[in-house]
Amino acid sequence: MAVAATTEAGARPGRPGRRLSAPAWVGTVPFFAYVGIFLLLPTGIVLYNAFQNPTGGFSLSGLKALGNPEIRGFFWGSIELCLVSSLTGAVFGAILAYAVASGNPDGVVRRLYLAVSGVLAQFGGVTLAFAFLVLIGPVGLLTHASWYLDFPWGIAVIYAYFQIPLMVLVFMPAMDGLKVQWREASENLGASAWQYWRHVGGPLLAPAFLGAALLLFANALSAFATIEAWENQIAYVVPQQISTVLNSEVGLANVNEADVLALGMIIMVAIVMTGYALLQRRAARWLR
Amino acid sequence: MRSPHRNALIGLTALALLAAGCSSGSSTSASGTTNWATVTSASAGGGMSALVAAAKKEGTLNVIALPPTWANYGAIISTFEKKYGIKVNSANPDGTSQQEVNAIKQENGTAAAPDVVDVGQAVALANTALFTPYKVATWSSIPAAQRDPSGLWYEDYGGYMAIGYSSKFGTITSLSDLLSSKFKGAVALNGDPTSANAGLNGVMLANLLSGGTPSDISKGVDWFHKLKQAGNFNPVSATGATIKAGTTPVVFNWDYLNLPSYVGVSNWKVFVPPGVPLGGYYTQAINKSAPHPAAARLWEEFLYSQATDGGQNLWLVGGARPVEQPAMTSNGTINSAAAAKLPPVSGTPVFLSQQQATAAANYLSANWQSAIG
């Protein structure tokens, strides 16, 4: 996803070409085959199953289940966690990106931050949860932090560990696109720092910032292993409840409900990613 | 839990086995041997030696969700392999009962499908259509209440809910001890009670000790709410690793999963609260489309064997109470040294009926979230 965020800025007109021996679309076959098998097919199966009743006939009862207060509770849990986690990640990540971007563009600090961010943005799952557990968990080496178990703030702090670096990565191109000349021009016209950010920097960065925040939102939505290892005896968010209804051995297993929950998540992701694409298009207007 | 690569490898192996099975299958049926897939007892199929020969010919047994350290399953599997020269494929050892029946459905018809399952009572009763009846030679030693009359399922081993704890807390003598401040962030269940059977029974234990009845688990949920308010509830799912690391110093779990020998921690104590011991048994069943029908039946014969190295005594060595323990105690085949090591239990045992377990699950589904969240 971080790659997708940067390619638009780097798009170049194609080379005037020699003729290729194979049609150009052949090159896209592996990509579309991969997307088809691992994204479209599972999505299709979930959609198909979500509109079935347990005996296999077409039914809208699954959709009605989305209105059930218990199920809505898991979606509120997910939304709450994703909002808290994406906003904190976006704010701190943007500040960090600004600090790094205003330094030497070829300096060691910048390269170090980007490399470390690239690694930490991928650091999640059981490993991350266990690291926090050992450090500040119920009998942590450092301390027993009781806030650590609060939902959503405790888990949001853990998510920040990969959300902030991801924000640095996806927000960096926007920060780099902020030309020094604009700042100089506004200072020459007598603008204060506040006026510059209020009328120039802020509006320019807003679409990119919101787009990146949406990406972080989607990232937090799908995270499962971290929260499951952190808080296993109760389900707060949708992915946990999907696991419960798939695996419950006390008689609450219900594959249809899992499909309906997954359908709800697909709808959420579709909304978020549409917003992301629109904002990204707007941000790309001046990033070239 | 398993890597996709390993799954792919198993899939390929399964295809290869399937191909091999198809080519040899026609010759065996032509020679007129027993079709073990429909046989309901060893004697009906021509006796134990015929069963052993047929199982050896199949050469493989697929089991699922059997952790090697759980109730001595590691030793049980290796003893079976050595005794009969049959390879045991153990899939998804940390899986849940529901994942076992999911695997039967999803892998139906492949050589990788589980031959036998070891599941909780609720899952067994909800999925009898997937099983085939079989009665082991020691059928009469299984108490009538703990088996299906037609042989679709039969309980195998069980235990009592116990509170295991680190000896740094001194000695626990009652449930209310756990509400005191020295247990801050310490008390854990073995899994989400809306999902894991051991978790549900942990809440039920607190319920019974707080004056609740098996039909109404609400007092147990209230107790855990108090535990949470006191700051003593620990939401990390307890495993051997978390106990060793000291992350879950107090754990509600079955006594055989709570023994110092199982947990691997020497300063670990087990407390089965007196008065209302809450018991629970797991259940064996054979997949009706088992890819290795003879090996599946031989496995059951082995598990219910009362021999010194049979499944019943091996479970006992692992701290679990085998279902034939009363019969074996009276006929003298029990490993009495292992039996003497079981934690003492006093009072009339409570076993949840299907209705009680379902009522508890439904109550938890609606109320656990708000009590602990």
Side-chain angles (χ1 to χ4, degrees):
Chain A
M1 289 197 184
V3 175
T6 51
T7 42
E8 288 204 13
R12 277 176 306 197
R15 255 184 308 170
R18 287 165 299 162
R19 285 191 87 157
L20 294 171
S21 50
W25 57 263
V26 169
T28 65
V29 167
F31 172 75
F32 283 109
Y34 186 86
V35 168
I37 293 171
F38 294 106
L39 183 66
L40 299 181
L41 182 67
T43 309
I45 292 174
V46 164
L47 286 176
Y48 178 75
N49 288 343
F51 289 102
Q52 279 195 321
N53 59 26
T55 53
F58 176 83
S59 155
L60 286 175
S61 60
L63 281 188
K64 281 194 206 118
L66 283 178
N68 159 343
E70 275 164 41
I71 289 185
R72 270 210 310 255
F74 298 112
F75 279 97
W76 282 126
S78 269
I79 291 172
E80 198 181 357
L81 173 61
C82 293
L83 276 180
V84 167
S85 151
S86 60
L87 288 179
T88 51
V91 168
F92 287 107
I95 294 172
L96 192 58
Y98 172 69
V100 174
S102 52
N104 177 359
D106 299 316
V108 175
V109 172
R110 182 188 168 101
R111 275 182 291 162
L112 189 70
Y113 265 87
L114 288 183
V116 168
S117 293
V119 173
L120 292 184
Q122 306 302 326
F123 184 50
V126 179
T127 346
L128 177 63
F130 195 70
F132 273 89
L133 203 62
V134 169
L135 203 61
I136 57 170
V139 285
L141 288 176
L142 196 63
T143 173
H144 167 218
S146 51
W147 55 262
Y148 157 84
L149 294 170
D150 290 341
F151 182 87
W153 289 98
I155 188 74
V157 167
I158 301 176
Y159 278 17
Y161 212 80
F162 56 80
Q163 294 280 54
I164 293 176
L166 180 64
M167 183 66 184
V168 171
L169 290 181
V170 296
F171 199 53
M172 209 55 176
M175 275 294 177
D176 285 339
L178 213 54
K179 294 195 172 65
V180 186
Q181 291 88 330
W182 297 338
R183 173 112 205 204
E184 289 167 354
S186 47
E187 276 171 14
N188 283 341
L189 294 168
S192 66
W194 162 249
Q195 283 169 321
Y196 166 72
W197 284 112
R198 167 75 184 77
H199 296 290
V200 183
L204 281 168
L205 289 178
F209 177 84
L210 289 174
L214 282 178
L215 189 68
L216 264 53
F217 186 96
N219 195 35
L221 181 66
S222 57
F224 167 70
T226 316
I227 190 166
E228 186 67 4
W230 168 80
E231 179 77 91
N232 169 286
Q233 294 172 26
I234 173 169
Y236 285 109
V237 296
V238 184
Q240 286 185 300
Q241 181 63 9
I242 290 178
S243 166
T244 297
V245 294
L246 282 181
N247 298 325
S248 174
E249 55 183 19
V250 300
L252 300 173
N254 180 350
V255 181
N256 283 76
E257 189 180 331
D259 285 314
V260 169
L261 288 165
L263 173 69
M265 284 185 76
I266 290 174
I267 295 172
M268 278 175 77
V269 170
I271 295 172
V272 168
M273 291 322 284
T274 308
Y276 175 69
L278 291 175
L279 286 165
Q280 199 60 42
R281 192 189 297 167
R282 164 121 205 216
R285 279 210 309 235
W286 56 272
L287 266 180
R288 304 162 201 277
Chain B
M1 269 165 231
R2 289 180 304 168
S3 78
H5 302 294
R6 211 180 127 204
N7 276 332
L9 198 63
I10 289 170
L12 285 176
T13 321
L15 282 176
L17 284 172
L18 195 63
C22 289
S23 58
S24 66
S26 54
S27 64
T28 50
S29 59
S31 65
T33 42
T34 314
N35 179 9
W36 285 97
T38 54
V39 164
T40 55
S41 72
S43 55
M48 259 314 266
S49 52
L51 177 60
V52 172
K56 279 185 174 169
K57 196 166 178 188
E58 290 172 357
T60 309
L61 174 76
N62 296 341
V63 300
I64 182 168
L66 303 182
T69 51
W70 174 297
N72 210 18
Y73 259 121
I76 290 174
I77 289 172
S78 64
T79 309
F80 179 79
E81 284 187 320
K82 254 183 250 145
K83 191 165 180 182
Y84 297 109
I86 293 171
K87 184 174 167 16
V88 176
N89 288 331
S90 180
N92 193 4
D94 293 324
T96 67
S97 294
Q98 186 60 35
Q99 285 170 341
E100 296 183 50
V101 300
N102 290 352
I104 289 188
K105 291 180 196 162
Q106 285 155 9
E107 294 171 17
N108 183 27
T110 74
D115 288 306
V116 287
V117 291
D118 179 11
V119 292
Q121 191 201 34
V123 172
L125 291 175
N127 293 285
T128 50
L130 300 174
F131 306 146
T132 186
Y134 185 76
K135 292 182 180 177
V136 292
T138 55
W139 185 253
S140 60
S141 295
I142 306 173
Q146 295 184 283
R147 62 189 196 201
D148 173 59
S150 68
L152 279 172
W153 54 264
Y154 14 94
E155 291 182 351
D156 45 12
Y157 61 88
Y160 293 93
M161 270 326 267
I163 300 170
Y165 60 100
S166 163
S167 58
K168 73 176 179 187
F169 293 118
T171 303
I172 297 177
T173 53
S174 79
L175 187 67
S176 51
D177 289 359
L178 297 177
L179 295 171
S180 82
S181 59
K182 70 176 170 179
F183 291 99
K184 206 130 207 88
V187 185
L189 288 166
N190 177 19
D192 182 338
T194 64
S195 179
N197 199 25
L200 181 143
N201 278 283
V203 180
M204 184 56 85
L205 177 68
N207 178 56
L208 296 177
L209 293 171
S210 316
T213 66
S215 312
D216 177 8
I217 199 172
S218 59
K219 287 198 166 121
V221 174
D222 292 347
W223 189 82
F224 272 92
H225 180 64
K226 267 190 268 172
L227 187 75
K228 169 85 180 178
Q229 283 184 321
N232 294 0
F233 182 68
N234 180 331
V236 178
S237 181
T239 64
T242 62
I243 292 173
K244 273 196 192 116
T247 311
T248 53
V250 179
V251 177
F252 282 67
N253 207 347
W254 299 116
D255 54 0
Y256 54 94
L257 303 178
N258 237 338
L259 299 171
S261 56
Y262 172 77
V263 167
V265 178
S266 54
N267 61 346
W268 190 255
K269 293 189 188 178
V270 192
F271 169 55
V272 180
V276 277
L278 174 62
Y281 277 79
Y282 275 88
T283 301
Q284 285 289 323
I286 298 176
N287 177 1
K288 72 173 175 191
S289 36
H292 311 101
R297 284 158 177 78
L298 181 61
W299 172 251
E300 298 301 346
E301 294 290 355
F302 173 73
L303 291 182
Y304 288 84
S305 157
Q306 299 178 351
T308 320
D309 66 345
Q312 295 287 306
N313 272 321
L314 287 175
W315 272 323
L316 185 62
V317 170
R321 295 162 209 262
V323 72
E324 296 178 359
Q325 190 174 358
M328 290 166 71
T329 308
S330 49
N331 71 19
T333 53
I334 197 97
N335 178 340
S336 43
K341 281 191 200 155
L342 295 174
V345 171
S346 65
T348 314
V350 175
F351 293 92
L352 295 187
S353 72
Q354 178 62 12
Q355 288 79 4
Q356 288 165 342
T358 307
N362 288 336
Y363 186 85
L364 286 166
S365 172
N367 296 287
W368 180 248
Q369 184 85 6
S370 49
I372 301 300

